[in-house]
Amino acid sequence: MVPYLDSLDLSSLDPALAAKCHSGIVAPALQLLKREGYQVKVSRSLADLSAFWQRHADQEDLYRSSAFDCAFHPETSPAQGLFLEAPNWEPVGTVWRRTIPLSFSGKSLNLKQALEGLYVFYHDPLDAPRRETCVVECEAAEDIKRCTISYGGALWIHPEHQGKGLFKAFSLLSRVLAIANAGWDYFVLLTEDKNRILALDHFPCTSYTRGVWHKGVHNWLCTAPYHDAVRLAMKEVV
């Protein structure tokens, strides 16, 4: 893991936009966290997330998603995550994304096919439990096709370290890092009904659609094309 600023490369953005991102979002967010004694590290290894899950295994609200589980994805999987480190250097928060081309074995898929085929959740869908299903009943998922998605999730901060603006600052840094790493066309997120408000507050989405049942549980499909994700991020410039 490396410090946040060492991983941030804004060269893919318009220079004026990059300057606004850095001075209006990144600098204030890092300053807030530093003032409270926290720092942010960046990882590209899902194994680091697995170790984080094990460290906090006693937390009932911590969900371990197969989409970010190193047991189901190779070490070379294009993933990127942030860790929030407390004043005692203990990691107490995280958020992740994976870059996923909508194709499998040379076959182009739309998002509905990728979800229902479990390609989003497993590098090899044959690794999924036999009874695991994903049923998609929304047209929005059929319209996203022939592209690469940035699939977000695994957002969690220990209850004892929420408040004081930490959650918002952490999610803003995640947004900037995502748009700085161009190479995807749509941001995509699945969120259960109980977590919908949290997702609306902390992920860059412009479309929210009911109609996805994963493992029998209803989820909202939240999406945004890249340019909208950039626009949403820039709304937070101070």
Side-chain angles (χ1 to χ4, degrees), residues 34-48:
K34 183 178 180 180
R35 188 165 59 245
E36 299 296 333
Y38 294 81
Q39 61 178 334
V40 177
K41 297 287 184 66
V42 178
S43 170
R44 294 184 179 275
S45 173
L46 291 174
D48 290 334

Side-chain angles (χ1 to χ4, degrees), residues 72-74 77 98 104 118-125 127:
F72 303 114
H73 301 279
S77 178
R98 283 178 48 236
F104 185 76
L118 304 180
Y119 299 112
V120 171
F121 311 106
Y122 300 91
H123 180 73
D124 184 350
D127 289 335

Side-chain angles (χ1 to χ4, degrees), residues 182-212:
W184 52 272
D185 306 289
Y186 275 87
F187 182 85
V188 175
L189 169 76
L190 288 181
T191 182
E192 296 180 12
D193 291 322
K194 64 181 181 180
N195 297 322
R196 185 170 66 93
I197 300 302
L198 178 69
L200 296 181
D201 287 343
H202 297 290
F203 286 100
C205 300
T206 54
S207 174
Y208 310 91
T209 309
R210 295 176 57 89
V212 178

Side-chain angles (χ1 to χ4, degrees), residues 25-40 84-85 87 157 161-173 238:
I25 302 177
V26 174
L30 288 176
Q31 287 171 4
L32 184 152
L33 294 173
K34 183 178 180 180
R35 188 165 59 245
E36 299 296 333
Y38 294 81
Q39 61 178 334
V40 177
L84 180 66
E85 290 189 349
I157 292 182
H161 297 269
Q162 297 181 19
K164 301 180 182 180
L166 298 182
F167 222 138
K168 182 175 182 179
F170 188 56
S171 63
L172 286 177
L173 292 173
V238 298

Side-chain angles (χ1 to χ4, degrees), residues 83-101:
F83 288 101
L84 180 66
E85 290 189 349
N88 64 354
W89 306 99
E90 179 184 2
V92 295
T94 192
V95 61
W96 281 76
R97 69 180 190 90
R98 283 178 48 236
T99 303
I100 308 173

